[in-house]
Amino acid sequence: MAQQHLDRLTALDASFLHQEGPASHMHVGALARFEGPPPPFAEILDSLRMRLHLVPRYRQHLRVPPAGTGRPLWIDDPTFNLEYHVRQTALPKPGSERQLLRLTGRIFSQQLDRARPLWELWIVEGLDDGGFALISKTHHAMIDGVAGVDIAQVMFDLSPVPAEIDHPDEAWQPAPEPSRAQVLAAGTAGLLRSSVRGAAHAAGALRDPGGALHTAREAAEGLGEIVWAGLNPAPETPLNVEIGPHRRYTVVRAELEDFKTVKNAFGGTVNDVVLAVASGALREWLRTRGVRTEGLELRALVPVSIRGSQDRGALGNRIAAMRGPLPVYVEDPVERLRAVRATMDGLKESKQAVGAEVLANVQNFAPPTVLAQASRLNFSTRLFNLIVTNVPGPQFPLYMRGRELLDVFPVAFLPKDHALAIAIMSYNGKMSFGLLGDYDAMPDLDALAEGIEASLAELVDLAQRAAGADAATDANGRAASRAPADAAPR
């Protein structure tokens, strides 16, 4: 879908604006490390300038219709300045990774300026390995994790030789800034289109009452499960406290093959293993905080993409969410994985994700004031303890101006009263964890990162032992079956 001047935000995208507060920043992004040396800054600017037409939203900012007549609109920024959004900095010597992570935390502690397009890129030089880093920050109202991978073509190439990008013959010119009357008309038109869509749904139901009844039944079941989840709140933990605006950030490096080894040995999916690893780390972390884990199961908000192939390259959020299990009460790592798998299988068979999507669609018809309340309810602390999001990335190397992308660590966001978010991204055979924590509530964020490493290592060791035992059993079985034939001639 083309990104047009005067586009109206979807209900979900607008909800991320409503959820933002002085301490709850609703931007997401990534920390990427490249082999060095860095390209000249002017070269990076020129490369981006030649590719920005591929994502027009990057040159648009928000305009709110007057008198609450509709959701905010995207309009071309008449004063767009690329140099404002792309920034150059350098680490002081020695340029360690710890310094880079501290800088990332500081950048994500600052809200984006809503009077401008909602994104920033920081080129960071002076790394101790001779390479450089790129820190990206984009408001969640504009982009989600899956779309972020789709538009990586704006910056990244598939080979060390930068691709030739077709671009318009004429330089970009912003559309004329709309008057107050035009903004009011656009907002009113959006409300009318929503009413027309509602009438179309009603007409479709009259034409196919059986299908409509089935859809309504599924929606009701899904909404019922969401209501049930709301009536059974997530437990109180040190993760769910009042937070401030400042952030800590740290990372964990892992191999995708290790997660596959575990799932192949014990069943489930890579995402099940991710949740089991997080559960093991959180179990040990809670115990260091003096929290009893017996009978305690945390809940993770696990975003699920509902973006189809027809949406490839489009910005905006197409996600639903499930509340996944983090069974920190289970001591045995394999049993912990089995508990995750059983619950996740049940959630996939349930109507919870369907219900979340229906709720988002209902919000498309809600006035902005109702939408604001619904979005706050959707991210209530009652429903989950932390966000755990796993984004699949390309399994081949990417390049920027001929420099290979070595690592990419995602950065999630902290809703109100949530002190921790864990984001994971797979890239070129790696699984990279990015842990974002509130600066005051999570002084021991590094200890949790070490717990993730230990939890994964424990599962991998058990999986390798199980695979070795299976191989030995299989070999012995084959030897035993051959024994009579081998002995017969004697």
Side-chain angles (χ1 to χ4, degrees), residues 254-274 277 337 390 392-395 426-431 456 459-460 463-464 467:
E255 299 295 325
L256 178 59
E257 190 58 36
D258 285 344
F259 288 83
K260 292 181 178 179
T261 296
V262 174
K263 83 171 183 67
N264 291 340
F266 304 122
T269 66
V270 166
N271 201 55
D272 292 340
V273 180
V274 165
V277 166
L337 173 58
N390 182 15
Q395 297 308 305
S426 60
Y427 162 68
N428 198 24
K430 301 177 182 179
M431 287 285 281
L456 175 60
L459 274 171
V460 170
Q464 290 173 340

PDB file of all heavy atoms in Angstrom, residues 254-274 277 337 390 392-395 426-431 456 459-460 463-464 467:
ATOM      1  N   ALA A 254      23.938 -15.304  20.693  1.00  0.00           N
ATOM      2  CA  ALA A 254      23.697 -16.749  20.676  1.00  0.00           C
ATOM      3  C   ALA A 254      23.658 -17.212  19.217  1.00  0.00           C
ATOM      4  O   ALA A 254      23.628 -16.394  18.293  1.00  0.00           O
ATOM      5  CB  ALA A 254      22.386 -17.090  21.394  1.00  0.00           C
ATOM      6  N   GLU A 255      23.663 -18.532  19.046  1.00  0.00           N
ATOM      7  CA  GLU A 255      23.614 -19.126  17.714  1.00  0.00           C
ATOM      8  C   GLU A 255      22.241 -19.725  17.468  1.00  0.00           C
ATOM      9  O   GLU A 255      21.685 -20.421  18.334  1.00  0.00           O
ATOM     10  CB  GLU A 255      24.689 -20.211  17.566  1.00  0.00           C
ATOM     11  CG  GLU A 255      26.119 -19.719  17.738  1.00  0.00           C
ATOM     12  CD  GLU A 255      26.522 -18.743  16.646  1.00  0.00           C
ATOM     13  OE1 GLU A 255      26.071 -18.927  15.487  1.00  0.00           O
ATOM     14  OE2 GLU A 255      27.279 -17.805  16.944  1.00  0.00           O
ATOM     15  N   LEU A 256      21.671 -19.464  16.309  1.00  0.00           N
ATOM     16  CA  LEU A 256      20.379 -20.029  15.948  1.00  0.00           C
ATOM     17  C   LEU A 256      20.421 -21.549  15.986  1.00  0.00           C
ATOM     18  O   LEU A 256      19.446 -22.200  16.385  1.00  0.00           O
ATOM     19  CB  LEU A 256      19.974 -19.537  14.553  1.00  0.00           C
ATOM     20  CG  LEU A 256      18.663 -20.071  13.983  1.00  0.00           C
ATOM     21  CD1 LEU A 256      17.486 -19.738  14.891  1.00  0.00           C
ATOM     22  CD2 LEU A 256      18.428 -19.500  12.576  1.00  0.00           C
ATOM     23  N   GLU A 257      21.553 -22.136  15.605  1.00  0.00           N
ATOM     24  CA  GLU A 257      21.675 -23.595  15.582  1.00  0.00           C
ATOM     25  C   GLU A 257      21.481 -24.195  16.973  1.00  0.00           C
ATOM     26  O   GLU A 257      20.958 -25.312  17.102  1.00  0.00           O
ATOM     27  CB  GLU A 257      23.048 -23.999  15.021  1.00  0.00           C
ATOM     28  CG  GLU A 257      23.190 -25.481  14.721  1.00  0.00           C
ATOM     29  CD  GLU A 257      22.155 -25.994  13.720  1.00  0.00           C
ATOM     30  OE1 GLU A 257      21.802 -25.241  12.791  1.00  0.00           O
ATOM     31  OE2 GLU A 257      21.685 -27.145  13.888  1.00  0.00           O
ATOM     32  N   ASP A 258      21.882 -23.468  18.034  1.00  0.00           N
ATOM     33  CA  ASP A 258      21.680 -23.975  19.388  1.00  0.00           C
ATOM     34  C   ASP A 258      20.191 -24.103  19.709  1.00  0.00           C
ATOM     35  O   ASP A 258      19.759 -25.077  20.332  1.00  0.00           O
ATOM     36  CB  ASP A 258      22.354 -23.047  20.405  1.00  0.00           C
ATOM     37  CG  ASP A 258      23.870 -23.209  20.418  1.00  0.00           C
ATOM     38  OD1 ASP A 258      24.367 -24.218  19.889  1.00  0.00           O
ATOM     39  OD2 ASP A 258      24.553 -22.314  20.955  1.00  0.00           O
ATOM     40  N   PHE A 259      19.394 -23.140  19.289  1.00  0.00           N
ATOM     41  CA  PHE A 259      17.953 -23.211  19.522  1.00  0.00           C
ATOM     42  C   PHE A 259      17.325 -24.343  18.726  1.00  0.00           C
ATOM     43  O   PHE A 259      16.415 -25.023  19.201  1.00  0.00           O
ATOM     44  CB  PHE A 259      17.305 -21.869  19.169  1.00  0.00           C
ATOM     45  CG  PHE A 259      17.610 -20.777  20.151  1.00  0.00           C
ATOM     46  CD1 PHE A 259      18.793 -20.062  20.075  1.00  0.00           C
ATOM     47  CD2 PHE A 259      16.722 -20.481  21.175  1.00  0.00           C
ATOM     48  CE1 PHE A 259      19.080 -19.064  20.991  1.00  0.00           C
ATOM     49  CE2 PHE A 259      17.007 -19.487  22.101  1.00  0.00           C
ATOM     50  CZ  PHE A 259      18.191 -18.781  22.006  1.00  0.00           C
ATOM     51  N   LYS A 260      17.829 -24.562  17.514  1.00  0.00           N
ATOM     52  CA  LYS A 260      17.325 -25.675  16.707  1.00  0.00           C
ATOM     53  C   LYS A 260      17.714 -27.015  17.316  1.00  0.00           C
ATOM     54  O   LYS A 260      16.942 -27.978  17.278  1.00  0.00           O
ATOM     55  CB  LYS A 260      17.850 -25.555  15.282  1.00  0.00           C
ATOM     56  CG  LYS A 260      17.281 -24.367  14.510  1.00  0.00           C
ATOM     57  CD  LYS A 260      17.814 -24.316  13.084  1.00  0.00           C
ATOM     58  CE  LYS A 260      17.205 -23.169  12.293  1.00  0.00           C
ATOM     59  NZ  LYS A 260      17.735 -23.099  10.910  1.00  0.00           N
ATOM     60  N   THR A 261      18.930 -27.100  17.875  1.00  0.00           N
ATOM     61  CA  THR A 261      19.360 -28.332  18.534  1.00  0.00           C
ATOM     62  C   THR A 261      18.416 -28.691  19.671  1.00  0.00           C
ATOM     63  O   THR A 261      18.015 -29.855  19.831  1.00  0.00           O
ATOM     64  CB  THR A 261      20.792 -28.167  19.073  1.00  0.00           C
ATOM     65  OG1 THR A 261      21.692 -27.972  17.974  1.00  0.00           O
ATOM     66  CG2 THR A 261      21.227 -29.386  19.866  1.00  0.00           C
ATOM     67  N   VAL A 262      18.030 -27.698  20.454  1.00  0.00           N
ATOM     68  CA  VAL A 262      17.136 -27.944  21.588  1.00  0.00           C
ATOM     69  C   VAL A 262      15.754 -28.356  21.113  1.00  0.00           C
ATOM     70  O   VAL A 262      15.168 -29.332  21.610  1.00  0.00           O
ATOM     71  CB  VAL A 262      17.053 -26.687  22.484  1.00  0.00           C
ATOM     72  CG1 VAL A 262      16.012 -26.886  23.585  1.00  0.00           C
ATOM     73  CG2 VAL A 262      18.414 -26.377  23.090  1.00  0.00           C
ATOM     74  N   LYS A 263      15.207 -27.651  20.136  1.00  0.00           N
ATOM     75  CA  LYS A 263      13.854 -27.994  19.673  1.00  0.00           C
ATOM     76  C   LYS A 263      13.838 -29.356  18.988  1.00  0.00           C
ATOM     77  O   LYS A 263      12.858 -30.100  19.103  1.00  0.00           O
ATOM     78  CB  LYS A 263      13.305 -26.911  18.750  1.00  0.00           C
ATOM     79  CG  LYS A 263      13.719 -26.987  17.295  1.00  0.00           C
ATOM     80  CD  LYS A 263      12.963 -26.006  16.436  1.00  0.00           C
ATOM     81  CE  LYS A 263      13.358 -26.156  14.970  1.00  0.00           C
ATOM     82  NZ  LYS A 263      12.937 -27.450  14.398  1.00  0.00           N
ATOM     83  N   ASN A 264      14.906 -29.700  18.281  1.00  0.00           N
ATOM     84  CA  ASN A 264      14.960 -31.009  17.632  1.00  0.00           C
ATOM     85  C   ASN A 264      15.056 -32.141  18.644  1.00  0.00           C
ATOM     86  O   ASN A 264      14.551 -33.245  18.409  1.00  0.00           O
ATOM     87  CB  ASN A 264      16.155 -31.077  16.671  1.00  0.00           C
ATOM     88  CG  ASN A 264      15.981 -30.182  15.458  1.00  0.00           C
ATOM     89  OD1 ASN A 264      14.862 -29.787  15.118  1.00  0.00           O
ATOM     90  ND2 ASN A 264      17.068 -29.847  14.811  1.00  0.00           N
ATOM     91  N   ALA A 265      15.686 -31.862  19.779  1.00  0.00           N
ATOM     92  CA  ALA A 265      15.826 -32.897  20.803  1.00  0.00           C
ATOM     93  C   ALA A 265      14.561 -33.077  21.623  1.00  0.00           C
ATOM     94  O   ALA A 265      14.182 -34.196  21.967  1.00  0.00           O
ATOM     95  CB  ALA A 265      17.005 -32.562  21.714  1.00  0.00           C
ATOM     96  N   PHE A 266      13.884 -31.973  21.938  1.00  0.00           N
ATOM     97  CA  PHE A 266      12.774 -32.037  22.890  1.00  0.00           C
ATOM     98  C   PHE A 266      11.430 -31.610  22.314  1.00  0.00           C
ATOM     99  O   PHE A 266      10.418 -31.658  23.014  1.00  0.00           O
ATOM    100  CB  PHE A 266      13.098 -31.165  24.113  1.00  0.00           C
ATOM    101  CG  PHE A 266      14.381 -31.531  24.788  1.00  0.00           C
ATOM    102  CD1 PHE A 266      15.391 -30.604  24.933  1.00  0.00           C
ATOM    103  CD2 PHE A 266      14.590 -32.816  25.272  1.00  0.00           C
ATOM    104  CE1 PHE A 266      16.590 -30.930  25.559  1.00  0.00           C
ATOM    105  CE2 PHE A 266      15.778 -33.160  25.905  1.00  0.00           C
ATOM    106  CZ  PHE A 266      16.787 -32.215  26.040  1.00  0.00           C
ATOM    107  N   GLY A 267      11.389 -31.211  21.035  1.00  0.00           N
ATOM    108  CA  GLY A 267      10.137 -30.817  20.417  1.00  0.00           C
ATOM    109  C   GLY A 267       9.850 -29.334  20.610  1.00  0.00           C
ATOM    110  O   GLY A 267      10.571 -28.613  21.295  1.00  0.00           O
ATOM    111  N   GLY A 268       8.779 -28.881  19.950  1.00  0.00           N
ATOM    112  CA  GLY A 268       8.391 -27.483  20.029  1.00  0.00           C
ATOM    113  C   GLY A 268       8.965 -26.668  18.890  1.00  0.00           C
ATOM    114  O   GLY A 268       9.416 -27.204  17.873  1.00  0.00           O
ATOM    115  N   THR A 269       8.950 -25.365  19.064  1.00  0.00           N
ATOM    116  CA  THR A 269       9.434 -24.447  18.049  1.00  0.00           C
ATOM    117  C   THR A 269      10.610 -23.648  18.610  1.00  0.00           C
ATOM    118  O   THR A 269      10.882 -23.673  19.816  1.00  0.00           O
ATOM    119  CB  THR A 269       8.330 -23.463  17.629  1.00  0.00           C
ATOM    120  OG1 THR A 269       8.010 -22.619  18.760  1.00  0.00           O
ATOM    121  CG2 THR A 269       7.072 -24.201  17.181  1.00  0.00           C
ATOM    122  N   VAL A 270      11.286 -22.934  17.721  1.00  0.00           N
ATOM    123  CA  VAL A 270      12.364 -22.056  18.178  1.00  0.00           C
ATOM    124  C   VAL A 270      11.809 -21.033  19.171  1.00  0.00           C
ATOM    125  O   VAL A 270      12.450 -20.719  20.185  1.00  0.00           O
ATOM    126  CB  VAL A 270      13.040 -21.353  16.980  1.00  0.00           C
ATOM    127  CG1 VAL A 270      13.920 -20.199  17.449  1.00  0.00           C
ATOM    128  CG2 VAL A 270      13.864 -22.344  16.172  1.00  0.00           C
ATOM    129  N   ASN A 271      10.612 -20.511  18.918  1.00  0.00           N
ATOM    130  CA  ASN A 271      10.029 -19.529  19.829  1.00  0.00           C
ATOM    131  C   ASN A 271       9.726 -20.144  21.193  1.00  0.00           C
ATOM    132  O   ASN A 271       9.868 -19.475  22.224  1.00  0.00           O
ATOM    133  CB  ASN A 271       8.763 -18.924  19.230  1.00  0.00           C
ATOM    134  CG  ASN A 271       8.399 -17.590  19.861  1.00  0.00           C
ATOM    135  OD1 ASN A 271       9.217 -16.672  19.889  1.00  0.00           O
ATOM    136  ND2 ASN A 271       7.183 -17.490  20.388  1.00  0.00           N
ATOM    137  N   ASP A 272       9.322 -21.411  21.220  1.00  0.00           N
ATOM    138  CA  ASP A 272       9.124 -22.096  22.503  1.00  0.00           C
ATOM    139  C   ASP A 272      10.434 -22.140  23.284  1.00  0.00           C
ATOM    140  O   ASP A 272      10.457 -21.924  24.503  1.00  0.00           O
ATOM    141  CB  ASP A 272       8.610 -23.519  22.283  1.00  0.00           C
ATOM    142  CG  ASP A 272       7.205 -23.572  21.714  1.00  0.00           C
ATOM    143  OD1 ASP A 272       6.476 -22.570  21.819  1.00  0.00           O
ATOM    144  OD2 ASP A 272       6.851 -24.618  21.134  1.00  0.00           O
ATOM    145  N   VAL A 273      11.532 -22.439  22.584  1.00  0.00           N
ATOM    146  CA  VAL A 273      12.835 -22.497  23.243  1.00  0.00           C
ATOM    147  C   VAL A 273      13.221 -21.112  23.763  1.00  0.00           C
ATOM    148  O   VAL A 273      13.761 -20.975  24.862  1.00  0.00           O
ATOM    149  CB  VAL A 273      13.911 -23.051  22.288  1.00  0.00           C
ATOM    150  CG1 VAL A 273      15.271 -23.111  22.990  1.00  0.00           C
ATOM    151  CG2 VAL A 273      13.535 -24.439  21.783  1.00  0.00           C
ATOM    152  N   VAL A 274      12.936 -20.074  22.979  1.00  0.00           N
ATOM    153  CA  VAL A 274      13.221 -18.706  23.426  1.00  0.00           C
ATOM    154  C   VAL A 274      12.506 -18.415  24.741  1.00  0.00           C
ATOM    155  O   VAL A 274      13.102 -17.883  25.694  1.00  0.00           O
ATOM    156  CB  VAL A 274      12.800 -17.691  22.339  1.00  0.00           C
ATOM    157  CG1 VAL A 274      12.748 -16.276  22.907  1.00  0.00           C
ATOM    158  CG2 VAL A 274      13.760 -17.737  21.162  1.00  0.00           C
ATOM    159  N   VAL A 277      14.095 -20.402  27.609  1.00  0.00           N
ATOM    160  CA  VAL A 277      15.373 -19.811  28.013  1.00  0.00           C
ATOM    161  C   VAL A 277      15.128 -18.562  28.857  1.00  0.00           C
ATOM    162  O   VAL A 277      15.760 -18.357  29.900  1.00  0.00           O
ATOM    163  CB  VAL A 277      16.223 -19.477  26.764  1.00  0.00           C
ATOM    164  CG1 VAL A 277      17.393 -18.562  27.126  1.00  0.00           C
ATOM    165  CG2 VAL A 277      16.738 -20.753  26.118  1.00  0.00           C
ATOM    166  N   LEU A 337      10.614 -26.296  29.337  1.00  0.00           N
ATOM    167  CA  LEU A 337      10.336 -26.187  27.900  1.00  0.00           C
ATOM    168  C   LEU A 337       9.040 -26.894  27.550  1.00  0.00           C
ATOM    169  O   LEU A 337       8.234 -26.376  26.759  1.00  0.00           O
ATOM    170  CB  LEU A 337      11.501 -26.766  27.102  1.00  0.00           C
ATOM    171  CG  LEU A 337      11.302 -26.891  25.587  1.00  0.00           C
ATOM    172  CD1 LEU A 337      10.996 -25.533  24.958  1.00  0.00           C
ATOM    173  CD2 LEU A 337      12.538 -27.512  24.934  1.00  0.00           C
ATOM    174  N   ASN A 390      10.107 -11.940  19.338  1.00  0.00           N
ATOM    175  CA  ASN A 390      11.114 -12.652  18.552  1.00  0.00           C
ATOM    176  C   ASN A 390      10.866 -12.345  17.076  1.00  0.00           C
ATOM    177  O   ASN A 390       9.848 -12.742  16.519  1.00  0.00           O
ATOM    178  CB  ASN A 390      11.011 -14.156  18.830  1.00  0.00           C
ATOM    179  CG  ASN A 390      12.056 -14.960  18.090  1.00  0.00           C
ATOM    180  OD1 ASN A 390      13.035 -14.409  17.584  1.00  0.00           O
ATOM    181  ND2 ASN A 390      11.852 -16.259  18.018  1.00  0.00           N
ATOM    182  N   PRO A 392      12.012 -12.701  13.160  1.00  0.00           N
ATOM    183  CA  PRO A 392      12.889 -13.420  12.224  1.00  0.00           C
ATOM    184  C   PRO A 392      13.544 -12.458  11.243  1.00  0.00           C
ATOM    185  O   PRO A 392      12.899 -11.575  10.687  1.00  0.00           O
ATOM    186  CB  PRO A 392      11.924 -14.367  11.505  1.00  0.00           C
ATOM    187  CG  PRO A 392      10.597 -13.678  11.574  1.00  0.00           C
ATOM    188  CD  PRO A 392      10.582 -12.921  12.882  1.00  0.00           C
ATOM    189  N   GLY A 393      14.828 -12.608  11.060  1.00  0.00           N
ATOM    190  CA  GLY A 393      15.571 -11.779  10.124  1.00  0.00           C
ATOM    191  C   GLY A 393      16.172 -12.610   9.007  1.00  0.00           C
ATOM    192  O   GLY A 393      16.050 -13.831   8.979  1.00  0.00           O
ATOM    193  N   PRO A 394      16.856 -11.985   8.048  1.00  0.00           N
ATOM    194  CA  PRO A 394      17.439 -12.714   6.922  1.00  0.00           C
ATOM    195  C   PRO A 394      18.596 -13.601   7.372  1.00  0.00           C
ATOM    196  O   PRO A 394      19.397 -13.225   8.224  1.00  0.00           O
ATOM    197  CB  PRO A 394      17.931 -11.589   6.003  1.00  0.00           C
ATOM    198  CG  PRO A 394      18.153 -10.418   6.901  1.00  0.00           C
ATOM    199  CD  PRO A 394      17.108 -10.531   7.974  1.00  0.00           C
ATOM    200  N   GLN A 395      18.685 -14.779   6.774  1.00  0.00           N
ATOM    201  CA  GLN A 395      19.741 -15.725   7.121  1.00  0.00           C
ATOM    202  C   GLN A 395      20.881 -15.679   6.096  1.00  0.00           C
ATOM    203  O   GLN A 395      21.381 -16.705   5.640  1.00  0.00           O
ATOM    204  CB  GLN A 395      19.149 -17.130   7.252  1.00  0.00           C
ATOM    205  CG  GLN A 395      18.137 -17.260   8.369  1.00  0.00           C
ATOM    206  CD  GLN A 395      18.676 -16.757   9.705  1.00  0.00           C
ATOM    207  OE1 GLN A 395      19.724 -17.207  10.162  1.00  0.00           O
ATOM    208  NE2 GLN A 395      17.959 -15.812  10.324  1.00  0.00           N
ATOM    209  N   SER A 426      16.815 -12.998  14.779  1.00  0.00           N
ATOM    210  CA  SER A 426      17.736 -13.925  14.118  1.00  0.00           C
ATOM    211  C   SER A 426      18.293 -13.249  12.867  1.00  0.00           C
ATOM    212  O   SER A 426      17.572 -12.552  12.149  1.00  0.00           O
ATOM    213  CB  SER A 426      17.018 -15.228  13.747  1.00  0.00           C
ATOM    214  OG  SER A 426      15.931 -14.972  12.864  1.00  0.00           O
ATOM    215  N   TYR A 427      19.592 -13.453  12.644  1.00  0.00           N
ATOM    216  CA  TYR A 427      20.240 -12.879  11.464  1.00  0.00           C
ATOM    217  C   TYR A 427      21.483 -13.696  11.129  1.00  0.00           C
ATOM    218  O   TYR A 427      22.355 -13.888  11.976  1.00  0.00           O
ATOM    219  CB  TYR A 427      20.625 -11.416  11.699  1.00  0.00           C
ATOM    220  CG  TYR A 427      21.661 -10.886  10.721  1.00  0.00           C
ATOM    221  CD1 TYR A 427      21.337 -10.716   9.372  1.00  0.00           C
ATOM    222  CD2 TYR A 427      22.959 -10.600  11.126  1.00  0.00           C
ATOM    223  CE1 TYR A 427      22.295 -10.269   8.472  1.00  0.00           C
ATOM    224  CE2 TYR A 427      23.914 -10.138  10.231  1.00  0.00           C
ATOM    225  CZ  TYR A 427      23.580  -9.977   8.899  1.00  0.00           C
ATOM    226  OH  TYR A 427      24.529  -9.540   8.007  1.00  0.00           O
ATOM    227  N   ASN A 428      21.531 -14.204   9.917  1.00  0.00           N
ATOM    228  CA  ASN A 428      22.716 -14.879   9.382  1.00  0.00           C
ATOM    229  C   ASN A 428      23.256 -15.931  10.348  1.00  0.00           C
ATOM    230  O   ASN A 428      24.459 -15.988  10.622  1.00  0.00           O
ATOM    231  CB  ASN A 428      23.800 -13.844   9.059  1.00  0.00           C
ATOM    232  CG  ASN A 428      24.854 -14.402   8.105  1.00  0.00           C
ATOM    233  OD1 ASN A 428      24.600 -15.336   7.354  1.00  0.00           O
ATOM    234  ND2 ASN A 428      26.040 -13.816   8.138  1.00  0.00           N
ATOM    235  N   GLY A 429      22.359 -16.767  10.860  1.00  0.00           N
ATOM    236  CA  GLY A 429      22.765 -17.865  11.733  1.00  0.00           C
ATOM    237  C   GLY A 429      22.897 -17.498  13.195  1.00  0.00           C
ATOM    238  O   GLY A 429      23.244 -18.351  14.013  1.00  0.00           O
ATOM    239  N   LYS A 430      22.607 -16.245  13.559  1.00  0.00           N
ATOM    240  CA  LYS A 430      22.750 -15.805  14.943  1.00  0.00           C
ATOM    241  C   LYS A 430      21.379 -15.509  15.553  1.00  0.00           C
ATOM    242  O   LYS A 430      20.430 -15.198  14.844  1.00  0.00           O
ATOM    243  CB  LYS A 430      23.620 -14.552  15.025  1.00  0.00           C
ATOM    244  CG  LYS A 430      25.030 -14.740  14.471  1.00  0.00           C
ATOM    245  CD  LYS A 430      25.809 -13.439  14.506  1.00  0.00           C
ATOM    246  CE  LYS A 430      27.203 -13.624  13.916  1.00  0.00           C
ATOM    247  NZ  LYS A 430      27.972 -12.343  13.915  1.00  0.00           N
ATOM    248  N   MET A 431      21.311 -15.607  16.871  1.00  0.00           N
ATOM    249  CA  MET A 431      20.138 -15.162  17.638  1.00  0.00           C
ATOM    250  C   MET A 431      20.634 -14.092  18.593  1.00  0.00           C
ATOM    251  O   MET A 431      21.421 -14.373  19.506  1.00  0.00           O
ATOM    252  CB  MET A 431      19.507 -16.325  18.403  1.00  0.00           C
ATOM    253  CG  MET A 431      18.768 -17.302  17.526  1.00  0.00           C
ATOM    254  SD  MET A 431      17.170 -16.686  16.939  1.00  0.00           S
ATOM    255  CE  MET A 431      16.151 -16.970  18.390  1.00  0.00           C
ATOM    256  N   LEU A 456      20.388 -21.000  28.319  1.00  0.00           N
ATOM    257  CA  LEU A 456      20.527 -21.621  27.001  1.00  0.00           C
ATOM    258  C   LEU A 456      21.596 -22.704  27.024  1.00  0.00           C
ATOM    259  O   LEU A 456      21.385 -23.800  26.481  1.00  0.00           O
ATOM    260  CB  LEU A 456      20.878 -20.552  25.961  1.00  0.00           C
ATOM    261  CG  LEU A 456      21.176 -21.068  24.549  1.00  0.00           C
ATOM    262  CD1 LEU A 456      19.977 -21.816  23.976  1.00  0.00           C
ATOM    263  CD2 LEU A 456      21.593 -19.926  23.637  1.00  0.00           C
ATOM    264  N   LEU A 459      20.256 -25.951  28.461  1.00  0.00           N
ATOM    265  CA  LEU A 459      19.373 -26.687  27.554  1.00  0.00           C
ATOM    266  C   LEU A 459      20.149 -27.326  26.406  1.00  0.00           C
ATOM    267  O   LEU A 459      19.860 -28.456  25.998  1.00  0.00           O
ATOM    268  CB  LEU A 459      18.299 -25.750  27.011  1.00  0.00           C
ATOM    269  CG  LEU A 459      17.044 -25.570  27.858  1.00  0.00           C
ATOM    270  CD1 LEU A 459      16.175 -24.449  27.308  1.00  0.00           C
ATOM    271  CD2 LEU A 459      16.248 -26.873  27.941  1.00  0.00           C
ATOM    272  N   VAL A 460      21.121 -26.611  25.868  1.00  0.00           N
ATOM    273  CA  VAL A 460      21.924 -27.159  24.766  1.00  0.00           C
ATOM    274  C   VAL A 460      22.689 -28.388  25.231  1.00  0.00           C
ATOM    275  O   VAL A 460      22.759 -29.406  24.524  1.00  0.00           O
ATOM    276  CB  VAL A 460      22.887 -26.092  24.209  1.00  0.00           C
ATOM    277  CG1 VAL A 460      23.881 -26.707  23.233  1.00  0.00           C
ATOM    278  CG2 VAL A 460      22.103 -24.983  23.521  1.00  0.00           C
ATOM    279  N   ALA A 463      20.317 -31.234  25.484  1.00  0.00           N
ATOM    280  CA  ALA A 463      19.911 -31.678  24.145  1.00  0.00           C
ATOM    281  C   ALA A 463      21.012 -32.506  23.490  1.00  0.00           C
ATOM    282  O   ALA A 463      20.732 -33.529  22.839  1.00  0.00           O
ATOM    283  CB  ALA A 463      19.562 -30.469  23.278  1.00  0.00           C
ATOM    284  N   GLN A 464      22.244 -32.077  23.633  1.00  0.00           N
ATOM    285  CA  GLN A 464      23.355 -32.824  23.033  1.00  0.00           C
ATOM    286  C   GLN A 464      23.512 -34.179  23.697  1.00  0.00           C
ATOM    287  O   GLN A 464      23.804 -35.177  23.028  1.00  0.00           O
ATOM    288  CB  GLN A 464      24.641 -32.006  23.139  1.00  0.00           C
ATOM    289  CG  GLN A 464      24.648 -30.778  22.234  1.00  0.00           C
ATOM    290  CD  GLN A 464      25.842 -29.879  22.454  1.00  0.00           C
ATOM    291  OE1 GLN A 464      26.489 -29.929  23.507  1.00  0.00           O
ATOM    292  NE2 GLN A 464      26.136 -29.021  21.488  1.00  0.00           N
ATOM    293  N   ALA A 467      20.731 -36.352  22.336  1.00  0.00           N
ATOM    294  CA  ALA A 467      21.025 -36.767  20.972  1.00  0.00           C
ATOM    295  C   ALA A 467      22.091 -37.845  20.961  1.00  0.00           C
ATOM    296  O   ALA A 467      22.025 -38.818  20.195  1.00  0.00           O
ATOM    297  CB  ALA A 467      21.475 -35.567  20.138  1.00  0.00           C
TER     298      ALA A 467
END
